[in-house]
Amino acid sequence: QVQLVESGGGLVQPGGSLRLSCVASGFTFSNYFMRWYRQAPGKERGFVAFISDTGGATNYADSVKGRFTISRDSAKNTVYLQMSSLKPEDTAVYYCNTNIGGQVWGQGTQVTVSS
Protein backbone atom coordinates (compact mmCIF):
# COMPACT_ATOMS: atom_id res chain seq x y z
CA GLN A 1 0.00 0.00 0.00
CA VAL A 2 0.99 3.64 -0.38
CA GLN A 3 3.18 4.69 2.52
CA LEU A 4 5.33 7.64 3.57
CA VAL A 5 7.73 7.28 6.51
CA GLU A 6 9.52 10.33 7.92
CA SER A 7 12.66 10.30 10.05
CA GLY A 8 15.47 12.57 11.16
CA GLY A 9 13.72 14.76 13.69
CA GLY A 10 15.12 15.56 17.11
CA LEU A 11 16.22 18.24 19.53
CA VAL A 12 18.53 20.92 18.16
CA GLN A 13 19.79 24.25 19.48
CA PRO A 14 18.82 27.53 17.81
CA GLY A 15 21.05 28.12 14.82
CA GLY A 16 21.58 24.40 14.30
CA SER A 17 20.75 22.10 11.41
CA LEU A 18 18.79 18.92 10.79
CA ARG A 19 18.01 16.83 7.73
CA LEU A 20 14.63 15.14 7.53
CA SER A 21 14.00 12.16 5.27
CA CYS A 22 10.79 10.69 3.92
CA VAL A 23 10.85 7.26 2.31
CA ALA A 24 8.00 6.49 -0.08
CA SER A 25 6.65 3.08 -1.04
CA GLY A 26 3.68 1.56 -2.83
CA PHE A 27 3.68 3.96 -5.78
CA THR A 28 5.94 5.17 -8.59
CA PHE A 29 7.78 7.88 -6.65
CA SER A 30 9.28 9.59 -9.70
CA ASN A 31 5.80 10.35 -11.08
CA TYR A 32 4.62 12.50 -8.17
CA PHE A 33 5.40 15.83 -6.57
CA MET A 34 6.23 15.83 -2.88
CA ARG A 35 5.65 18.39 -0.13
CA TRP A 36 6.65 18.99 3.45
CA TYR A 37 4.20 20.43 5.97
CA ARG A 38 4.52 21.15 9.68
CA GLN A 39 2.20 21.51 12.63
CA ALA A 40 3.15 23.32 15.80
CA PRO A 41 1.22 22.77 19.07
CA GLY A 42 -2.13 24.54 18.97
CA LYS A 43 -1.72 25.56 15.33
CA GLU A 44 -3.01 24.28 12.00
CA ARG A 45 -0.82 22.22 9.72
CA GLY A 46 0.97 24.53 7.29
CA PHE A 47 2.91 24.25 4.03
CA VAL A 48 6.70 24.27 4.21
CA ALA A 49 8.15 23.17 0.86
CA PHE A 50 7.29 21.62 -2.52
CA ILE A 51 9.31 19.72 -5.10
CA SER A 52 8.07 18.64 -8.52
CA ASP A 53 8.13 15.08 -9.79
CA THR A 54 11.39 15.66 -11.67
CA GLY A 55 12.93 17.81 -8.95
CA GLY A 56 13.20 20.66 -11.42
CA ALA A 57 10.87 22.97 -9.54
CA THR A 58 10.76 23.86 -5.87
CA ASN A 59 8.77 26.28 -3.75
CA TYR A 60 8.97 27.35 -0.10
CA ALA A 61 6.95 29.08 2.54
CA ASP A 62 8.25 32.60 3.12
CA SER A 63 9.12 31.71 6.71
CA VAL A 64 11.72 29.12 5.62
CA LYS A 65 13.10 30.58 2.37
CA GLY A 66 16.86 30.73 2.39
CA ARG A 67 17.10 28.37 5.38
CA PHE A 68 15.43 25.13 4.20
CA THR A 69 16.15 23.10 1.06
CA ILE A 70 13.95 20.36 -0.33
CA SER A 71 15.44 17.67 -2.57
CA ARG A 72 14.67 14.17 -3.78
CA ASP A 73 16.48 10.99 -4.77
CA SER A 74 14.33 8.84 -7.02
CA ALA A 75 16.80 5.96 -6.83
CA LYS A 76 16.07 5.81 -3.09
CA ASN A 77 12.39 6.84 -3.26
CA THR A 78 13.24 9.52 -0.74
CA VAL A 79 12.53 13.21 -0.30
CA TYR A 80 14.66 15.30 2.02
CA LEU A 81 14.30 18.55 3.91
CA GLN A 82 17.60 20.13 4.87
CA MET A 83 16.97 22.67 7.61
CA SER A 84 19.57 25.18 8.75
CA SER A 85 19.64 28.30 10.92
CA LEU A 86 16.84 26.75 12.91
CA LYS A 87 14.72 28.94 15.15
CA PRO A 88 12.49 28.07 18.12
CA GLU A 89 9.49 28.88 15.94
CA ASP A 90 10.46 26.00 13.65
CA THR A 91 9.47 23.60 16.44
CA ALA A 92 6.74 21.35 15.06
CA VAL A 93 5.85 17.90 13.82
CA TYR A 94 6.99 17.69 10.20
CA TYR A 95 5.02 15.64 7.68
CA CYS A 96 5.71 14.67 4.09
CA ASN A 97 2.82 14.59 1.68
CA THR A 98 1.75 13.79 -1.85
CA ASN A 99 -1.53 13.40 -3.70
CA ILE A 100 -2.40 10.10 -5.32
CA GLY A 101 -6.11 10.30 -5.91
CA GLY A 102 -6.26 11.90 -2.48
CA GLN A 103 -3.89 13.30 0.09
CA VAL A 104 -1.28 10.90 1.48
CA TRP A 105 0.50 11.71 4.74
CA GLY A 106 3.28 10.16 6.75
CA GLN A 107 3.15 9.78 10.53
CA GLY A 108 5.36 12.81 11.12
CA THR A 109 8.65 13.45 12.86
CA GLN A 110 9.11 15.85 15.78
CA VAL A 111 11.56 18.73 15.48
CA THR A 112 12.27 20.72 18.63
CA VAL A 113 14.47 23.81 18.50
CA SER A 114 15.47 24.86 22.00
CA SER A 115 18.50 25.78 24.06
Coordinates of all heavy atoms in Angstrom, one line a residue, residues 8 10-20 67-68 81-86 111 113:
G8 N 14.4 11.5 11.1 CA 15.5 12.6 11.2 C 15.2 13.7 12.1 O 16.0 14.6 12.3
G10 N 14.4 15.6 15.8 CA 15.1 15.6 17.1 C 15.2 16.9 17.8 O 14.5 17.9 17.4
L11 N 16.0 17.0 18.8 CA 16.2 18.2 19.5 C 17.5 18.9 19.0 O 18.5 18.3 18.9 CB 16.3 17.9 21.0 CG 16.7 19.1 21.9 CD1 15.6 20.2 21.9 CD2 17.0 18.6 23.4
V12 N 17.4 20.2 18.7 CA 18.5 20.9 18.2 C 18.5 22.3 18.8 O 17.4 22.9 19.0 CB 18.5 21.0 16.6 CG1 17.3 21.7 16.1 CG2 19.8 21.6 16.1
Q13 N 19.7 22.9 18.9 CA 19.8 24.3 19.5 C 19.5 25.3 18.4 O 19.7 25.0 17.2 CB 21.2 24.5 20.0 CG 21.5 23.7 21.3 CD 22.8 24.1 21.9 OE1 23.7 24.7 21.3 NE2 23.0 23.7 23.2
P14 N 19.0 26.5 18.8 CA 18.8 27.5 17.8 C 20.1 27.8 17.0 O 21.2 27.8 17.6 CB 18.5 28.7 18.7 CG 17.8 28.1 19.9 CD 18.6 26.9 20.1
G15 N 19.9 27.9 15.7 CA 21.1 28.1 14.8 C 21.6 26.8 14.2 O 22.4 26.8 13.3
G16 N 21.1 25.7 14.8 CA 21.6 24.4 14.3 C 20.9 23.9 13.0 O 20.1 24.6 12.4
S17 N 21.3 22.7 12.7 CA 20.7 22.1 11.4 C 20.2 20.7 11.7 O 20.7 20.0 12.6 CB 21.9 22.0 10.4 OG 22.3 23.3 10.0
L18 N 19.3 20.3 10.8 CA 18.8 18.9 10.8 C 18.4 18.6 9.4 O 18.1 19.5 8.6 CB 17.5 18.8 11.6 CG 17.6 18.6 13.1 CD1 16.2 18.5 13.7 CD2 18.4 17.3 13.5
R19 N 18.5 17.3 9.0 CA 18.0 16.8 7.7 C 16.9 15.8 7.9 O 17.2 14.7 8.6 CB 19.1 16.2 6.9 CG 18.6 16.0 5.4 CD 19.7 15.4 4.5 NE 19.9 14.0 4.7 CZ 20.5 13.2 3.8 NH1 20.9 13.7 2.6 NH2 20.7 12.0 4.1
L20 N 15.7 16.1 7.5 CA 14.6 15.1 7.5 C 14.6 14.3 6.3 O 14.9 14.8 5.2 CB 13.3 15.9 7.7 CG 13.2 16.9 8.8 CD1 11.8 17.4 8.9 CD2 13.6 16.2 10.2
R67 N 16.6 29.2 4.3 CA 17.1 28.4 5.4 C 16.9 26.9 5.1 O 17.7 26.1 5.6 CB 16.4 28.8 6.7 CG 16.6 30.2 7.1 CD 16.1 30.5 8.5 NE 14.6 30.3 8.6 CZ 14.1 29.4 9.4 NH1 14.8 28.7 10.2 NH2 12.7 29.3 9.4
F68 N 15.8 26.5 4.4 CA 15.4 25.1 4.2 C 15.6 24.8 2.7 O 15.4 25.7 1.9 CB 14.0 24.9 4.6 CG 13.7 24.9 6.0 CD1 14.5 25.4 7.0 CD2 12.4 24.4 6.5 CE1 14.2 25.4 8.3 CE2 12.1 24.4 7.8 CZ 13.0 24.9 8.7
L81 N 14.4 17.1 3.5 CA 14.3 18.6 3.9 C 15.5 18.9 4.8 O 15.6 18.5 5.9 CB 13.0 18.8 4.7 CG 12.7 20.3 5.0 CD1 12.4 21.0 3.6 CD2 11.6 20.5 5.9
Q82 N 16.4 19.7 4.1 CA 17.6 20.1 4.9 C 17.2 21.4 5.5 O 16.9 22.4 4.8 CB 18.8 20.3 3.9 CG 20.0 20.9 4.6 CD 20.7 19.9 5.5 OE1 20.9 18.7 5.2 NE2 21.0 20.4 6.7
M83 N 17.4 21.5 6.8 CA 17.0 22.7 7.6 C 18.2 23.2 8.3 O 18.9 22.5 9.0 CB 15.9 22.3 8.6 CG 14.7 21.6 8.1 SD 13.4 21.3 9.3 CE 14.3 20.1 10.4
S84 N 18.4 24.5 8.1 CA 19.6 25.2 8.8 C 19.1 26.5 9.4 O 18.0 26.9 9.2 CB 20.7 25.4 7.7 OG 20.2 26.3 6.7
S85 N 20.0 27.1 10.2 CA 19.6 28.3 10.9 C 18.3 28.2 11.6 O 17.4 29.1 11.6 CB 19.6 29.5 10.0 OG 20.9 29.7 9.3
L86 N 18.1 27.0 12.3 CA 16.8 26.7 12.9 C 16.5 27.7 14.0 O 17.4 28.2 14.8 CB 16.8 25.3 13.4 CG 16.6 24.3 12.3 CD1 17.1 22.9 12.8 CD2 15.2 24.2 11.9
V111 N 10.4 17.9 15.5 CA 11.6 18.7 15.5 C 11.4 19.7 16.6 O 10.4 20.5 16.6 CB 11.8 19.5 14.1 CG1 12.9 20.5 14.3 CG2 12.1 18.5 13.0
V113 N 13.3 22.9 18.5 CA 14.5 23.8 18.5 C 14.5 24.6 19.8 O 13.6 25.4 20.1 CB 14.4 24.8 17.3 CG1 15.6 25.7 17.3 CG2 14.2 24.0 16.0

